[in-house]
Amino acid sequence: MKIVAIVGSNRKNSFNMKLAQYMQRTYEGKLDIEILPITDLPFYNQEIELMPSETVQKFIGKVAQADAVLWVTPEYNYSIPGILKNAIDWLSRVDKVMVGKPSFIMGASMGALGTVRAQEHLRGILFSPGISSPLLPRNEVYIGAVHEKFDDAGQLVHEPTVAFLNIIVTNFISWYDQHTGAFVAKS
Ligand SMILES: Cc1cc2nc3c(=O)[nH]c(=O)nc-3n(C[C@H](O)[C@H](O)[C@H](O)COP(=O)(O)O)c2cc1C
C-alpha cells in the first residue's frame, strides 16, 4: 500500500518527523511510506489555485497517487500548525484529491496530552467537503512526553509505544482492506 506521510513541523529536530521516519523504516515491508515535504509550499491563494507552482503541483500529484495518507502533527496553540493547514488548503481545492482517500492520524508533543486538541481540530478539517477523507476510527495515537521516548539517534525506545504502533498499523491495514472498493472516490 502506498502511503504519503504529511508532517506538520518545519523544525530540523522535529519529534513528529522522527515519528514519521520511524513509521517509514519500521513498517517498510507492510506500508510503502513516502514523507512529503510541505515546508516549501507557498501560502495558499485562491487567485493562483488554477496555475499553482511546480512545487504545489508535485505535492498534489503525490497525494493523488497514494492509496492513503498518514498525518503526523504537532500541537501549536491547541491546534494544528499553520504549515499543515496550508498544505491541507491546497489539497482541498480544484481536483480535490483527498476526497474519498483514507487517512490515519498520529501526533507527538512533549506535554502530557500528546496533541489531543490538535488532532480534534485536524479530524474536523479532514471531514470538510473539500477533503472528505475517511478516517481510521477508534485508533487515536497521542504520544505525550515524546522527548523521553526517542533516543538521540531518532529511535523509538519506549516499548509500550512500539507495541501500540504495531496494533495501530495492523488495525489500519485491516480497516483499509475491509473497505477497499468502498471508499468513495470523488466524482
Ligand atoms: C508555537 C508553539 C505552540 C505550541 N503549542 C503547544 C500546545 O498548544 N500544546 C502542546 O502540547 N504543545 C505545544 N507546543 C510544544 C510542542 O508540542 C513541541 O514544541 C513539539 O516538540 C513540536 O513538535 P515537533 O518536535 O515535531 O516540532 C507548542 C510549540 C510551539 C513552538
Side-chain angles (χ1 to χ4, degrees):
M1 189 192 318
K2 177 76 193 171
I3 308 254
V4 289
I6 300 180
V7 181
S9 177
N10 53 4
R11 209 166 67 83
K12 193 156 58 89
N13 290 318
S14 161
F15 288 113
N16 285 278
M17 181 56 82
K18 285 179 188 167
L19 175 58
Q21 289 166 342
Y22 171 82
M23 295 298 295
Q24 188 178 41
R25 313 191 277 285
T26 307
Y27 300 104
E28 207 179 0
K30 293 182 172 173
L31 304 174
D32 173 13
I33 299 179
E34 178 178 1
I35 300 170
L36 298 186
I38 60 168
T39 52
D40 51 355
L41 291 174
F43 281 130
Y44 169 80
N45 179 339
Q46 196 175 354
E47 287 160 6
I48 57 166
E49 67 177 14
L50 295 177
M51 43 186 168
S53 67
E54 210 174 301
T55 310
V56 173
Q57 287 179 44
K58 201 171 157 197
F59 170 66
I60 294 175
K62 291 265 187 189
V63 175
Q65 282 159 22
D67 297 311
V69 176
L70 167 60
W71 307 92
V72 188
T73 188
E75 181 167 294
Y76 274 12
N77 302 312
Y78 290 6
S79 189
I80 62 170
I83 57 158
L84 181 55
K85 181 62 164 56
N86 185 52
I88 295 172
D89 288 341
W90 277 114
L91 295 173
S92 71
R93 298 286 294 178
V94 192
D95 289 337
K96 298 186 172 135
V97 296
M98 278 305 301
V99 174
K101 195 178 294 290
S103 288
F104 61 133
I105 303 176
M106 299 181 173
S109 72
M110 293 194 278
L113 296 183
T115 74
V116 167
R117 291 165 292 213
Q119 291 194 39
E120 195 177 332
H121 281 192
L122 181 55
R123 277 193 291 276
I125 293 164
L126 296 183
F127 289 138
S128 67
I131 298 290
S132 297
S133 173
L135 267 178
L136 174 67
R138 295 189 303 279
N139 289 259
E140 299 178 7
V141 182
Y142 307 117
I143 303 183
V146 65
H147 53 298
E148 296 169 5
K149 293 175 180 166
F150 279 93
D151 67 14
D152 291 342
Q155 192 55 33
L156 184 59
V157 290
H158 186 250
E159 281 310 318
T161 305
V162 168
F164 180 58
L165 291 176
N166 284 338
I167 294 169
I168 295 295
V169 167
T170 302
N171 288 349
F172 176 74
I173 293 171
S174 149
W175 174 76
Y176 182 90
D177 287 347
Q178 276 167 26
H179 292 80
T180 302
F183 294 123
V184 183
K186 73 184 176 66
S187 54

